[in-house]
Amino acid sequence: MSLLVTLAVWMLCAQVPGGEPPQPGLAAPSALRCEYLADPMGIDVSSPRFSWLVSDPRRGARQSGYQVVVHREDAAAGEPVWDSGKVAGEEGCNIAFAGRALESGRAYTWKVRTWDADDRASEWSEPAHFSMGLLAPADWKCAWVGLPAPPEPGVRGPATMLRARFTLGGLGARRATLYATALGLYECRLNGRRIGDRVLAPEWTDYRTRIQYQTYDVTPLLTQGENVLGAVLADGWYAGKVGLFKRETYGRDLALRAQLQVELADGSMQVVVFDGSWRATSGGPWLAADILDGVRYDGRRQMSGWDRPGFDDSAWIAPQIFQPPAAALVAQMNDPVRVTGSMRPVALTRPKAGEYVFDLGQNMTGWVRLLASGPAGAPVTLQYAEALNPDGTVYTANLRGAAQRDTFILAGRPSEMVEPAFTYHGFRYVQVSGLGTPPVLDDVVGRVVHSDLPPGGTFECSDAMLNKLMSNIVWTHLANMQSTPTDCPQRDERLGWMGDAQVFAQAACFNRDMASFFTKWLADVRDAQSPDGAYPDFAPNPVVSTGKFMSVPAWGDAGVIVPWRIYQNYADLRLLQTHFESARRWVDSIQSRNPDLVWHAARGNDYNDWLNGDTLKLDDWPRKGAEIPRDVFATAFFEHSTRLVSRMAHAIGREDDAAKYTRLADDIRRVFQEKFCTPDGTVEGDTQAGYALALHFDLLPQALRPAAVAKLVQAVHRYNDHVATGFISTVPMMEELVRAGHADLAYTLLLNRTIPSWGYMIDQGATTVWERWDGYVAGRGFQDPGMNSLAHYAIGSVGEWMYRHILGINPDDEHPGYRHFEVRPVLHPSLTWARGSLRTIRGEIRVDWVVAEGQFRLGLTVPPGTSARVVLPSGDPTHLTEGGRPAAESPGVHVVSAGSSEVVLDVTSGRFDFETPAPSVH
Ligand code: BGC
């Protein structure tokens, strides 16, 4: 570089404010998150945590330091509220704010830069944003308003509509924020436009304890002069039908609380309190709206312009002001429920005169939008269902008491677009009746509705059935993410069943970013814990006060297993700190009732290994022999939860507790061995499930493991190499077969097409995962409609196995949040390639492998600041290259060992391309 150029560069750098010259080539951090969310509005944690990704593709790239700067948004150029300064450290996730107190209702902007291993600074990131919610109860200035429910219990009136006029004058609004929540569900509008795109707000919590509020930026919707805020209130979980229970489980009267906060040009805040301005009516078009039953909407009662200035509301009345509920108001910090996509129907049939069935081609959740026409007053009915009867009409028997029916009474316009709200349905088919003219395929659009979870993993391989299985797993997963994790989305149940959630939790974390969703749900779980420490069977638990539905093995244990999963996947220590006492009390509650350490007392409804092989209704299938003895099952979970509690204690530095629960877990394990195991390796009951759990939770002495594995293999052979396991033990069994060197048998179970198997479901046309292995059997038909959901994720937990062993991505418990992980694909002759990825909190892991021309090739991307143990299957471990040279000479690669059929390597971050002769399996 000539002296002149050097001087010019130096002068450029010298002009950069803040000292550090930008380093060309060292890109700014990206994907900034605050409390796991992108630019969240209205959070209520006093020290929010920040995460970012380092963008540096070099081998061995890692962050050596960071600097975070937070400003009030209205003073972006002034004093920061927090400047961390340069902090040495490799961590770029969950860095807690440590500046001046964040103010209620204020908006903030933050940015970050990092330093690399050579101490070179990156560019500053693009600014990211967050705002604080209303932090103190006193910050809520406005009342709860609504109309009282009809006097007869259980009778619900039409939805309440509310409107408030207000005027904005004087100094212009720099920012206007609406805080809103309801007892019931609400949707707000401002000057004729919908506010935000959430549906089913304020989502489901135990409304007696905790009600979430939502925060909206309404600046662009406001006008100078007169404005109108409108709201519709519907029953939702609060007053509508919930799960197995009657209406009005939480309460009867619906009410809205909404407050507008305006930040003026001079930075001062003005609160618009609507109380006296509210007008209300129940004369609107929403005659009924229920989550399980659907809606009844009368288009003739629409009031055009009701949510805009100039509307004559003289027939409306002043609403009632309700006493504030006792529950705490908390900010919603989980990804909202939204319409996330559209589906075009794939077929339209007319099974009966005047009845039209649209096939969306995919079992899904949400509803449809329909273009209808007919005379005023004509009812058009949409019946949603998951399957068809042999005559082509919709099969509704398995919906039990959930009507899943929307009725629209037409206004009589030449064509009317009708669409429900305040409900959701689980369906693939919709049968429409009452149309004036025959419809065409395009008259219906499916609207997909669920918690809008950020992307997680992707999976693809050379086997079409497995790709379909993964698609079915993901659809079933999303169908059951309705602000709480539900068992099913269609029948009158849809509860946050804990056993289902724990067994699916890791598959869920592979599919999507579950951090904020499960953080919210674990608060629901704590809310539903009984004073004596028992966890519920489902959370939220609308009948927690009755003591029913409590304390079931493997269901209650979700209160320990799920937070541990979140810690493993997202390195969330704060969650463990928040949750530890609760988890410990669960284990204590079991111990106090079972002092001999066999969990036989207080097992509630004791579901055991639900829907195991003994529940199948098939010819030529054993009636007995699959079900694990209940004491064995329960005691295995008692040990497992106790062991996890000790590990939680260790992770958060409570070493005394760690030692105490390790001792207890050791004692339970000893008792388990004494009571349930014999010296030949038999686990009482001699079931697939018994061996699976005993092996998976490491309950057996090392010396007995091979014998127990042999018995597990025999137990699988007894069922002609099919699963005889239920919800809880299927994936543990699949995992243990791999761990013990029987991956081929696990693959057999995975690839089976005969019943019971995942392949069988797919061959019957399943587009989601069924509740039962024999949900539908060719020639026999559907299982008992009293319990036969076609969209239950529990046995879809095998998605976890597919990520772990086909792609080969495994979290490492000792290094949570994928700081270190293992990549170990397990090959099988029927698969020639697989590829996929996982967006972890530290960046994206990518894996793609192929067996071709006698070679095994694996491409791997390891995110900056992380490292991996890679175990490669190989036909000739002495021949392994990376990027075309011997692997041992490749930077960032350390060959740990080369056995007869595999090579073990440690790699730094970066992109790697390995190649070795394919193992003999091919
Ligand atoms: C639900 C399950 C749940 C079970 C308890 C069923 O009705 O649908 O998914 O876990 O009850 O055994």
Side-chain angles (χ1 to χ4, degrees), residues 525-593:
V525 170
R526 290 192 297 275
D527 286 349
Q529 188 170 24
S530 72
D532 65 2
Y535 277 131
D537 303 3
F538 36 75
N541 180 354
V543 292
V544 66
S545 54
T546 64
K548 279 190 192 151
F549 300 109
M550 302 297 285
S551 193
V552 174
W555 271 252
D557 292 291
V560 180
I561 295 168
V562 175
W564 185 250
R565 289 284 189 209
I566 297 301
Y567 174 66
Q568 288 172 317
N569 283 276
Y570 308 104
D572 194 331
L573 262 186
R574 188 183 281 178
L575 178 76
L576 287 193
Q577 281 151 355
T578 307
H579 197 84
F580 176 76
E581 269 304 307
S582 166
R584 182 187 66 69
R585 285 173 51 227
W586 163 246
V587 165
D588 292 352
S589 78
I590 305 167
Q591 187 193 4
S592 69
R593 292 181 170 111

Side-chain angles (χ1 to χ4, degrees), residues 11 108-109 250 336 339 372 584 694 708:
M11 283 173 66
Y108 294 87
T109 170
Y250 293 101
V339 176
R584 182 187 66 69

Side-chain angles (χ1 to χ4, degrees), residues 59 858 880-887 890 893 911-915:
R59 288 239 173 127
L858 177 114
L880 173 69
T881 59
E882 191 290 309
R885 63 194 142 186
S890 187
V893 179
R911 161 80 201 184
F912 300 89
D913 290 285
F914 295 105
E915 185 167 344

Side-chain angles (χ1 to χ4, degrees), residues 363-410:
N363 205 17
M364 56 177 266
T365 44
W367 53 74
V368 301
R369 181 187 263 175
L370 168 74
L371 191 63
S373 64
V380 171
T381 302
L382 290 81
Q383 176 66 59
Y384 298 80
E386 293 189 294
L388 296 179
N389 291 310
D391 68 359
T393 57
V394 287
Y395 173 77
T396 54
N398 71 334
L399 305 178
R400 300 194 315 213
Q404 283 219 136
R405 189 181 309 122
D406 296 331
T407 302
F408 296 92
I409 298 163
L410 298 181

Side-chain angles (χ1 to χ4, degrees), residues 612-613 616 618 620-622 626 687-689 712-726 730 733-734 737 745-760 773:
N612 62 71
L616 268 53
L618 298 177
D620 308 326
W621 180 263
T687 58
Q688 292 179 9
L712 170 60
V713 170
Q714 276 169 25
V716 177
H717 290 335
R718 263 205 304 283
Y719 283 84
N720 198 16
D721 291 357
H722 284 75
V723 288
T725 44
T730 299
M733 174 169 75
M734 300 281 287
L737 288 173
L745 189 53
Y747 264 113
T748 300
L749 300 178
L750 181 73
L751 294 165
N752 272 339
R753 308 299 279 244
T754 41
I755 192 163
S757 68
W758 296 277
Y760 183 80
W773 292 112

Side-chain angles (χ1 to χ4, degrees), residues 361-362 463-475 762 765-768 802:
Q362 173 63 54
D463 185 293
M465 189 277 277
L466 294 183
N467 292 337
K468 181 65 182 165
L469 173 57
M470 188 56 85
S471 162
N472 290 4
I473 291 168
V474 172
W475 274 101
I762 288 169
T767 59
T768 40
M802 294 163 75

Side-chain angles (χ1 to χ4, degrees), residues 71-80:
H71 280 92
R72 245 171 72 164
E73 202 153 276
D74 59 334
E79 266 291 283

Side-chain angles (χ1 to χ4, degrees), residues 487 491 493 497 500 555 607 610 727 771 787 792:
D487 57 331
R491 68 177 177 231
E493 189 144 354
W497 282 99
D500 311 38
W555 271 252
Y607 308 116
W610 190 243
F727 273 26
E771 178 173 24
M787 209 189 79
H792 245 67

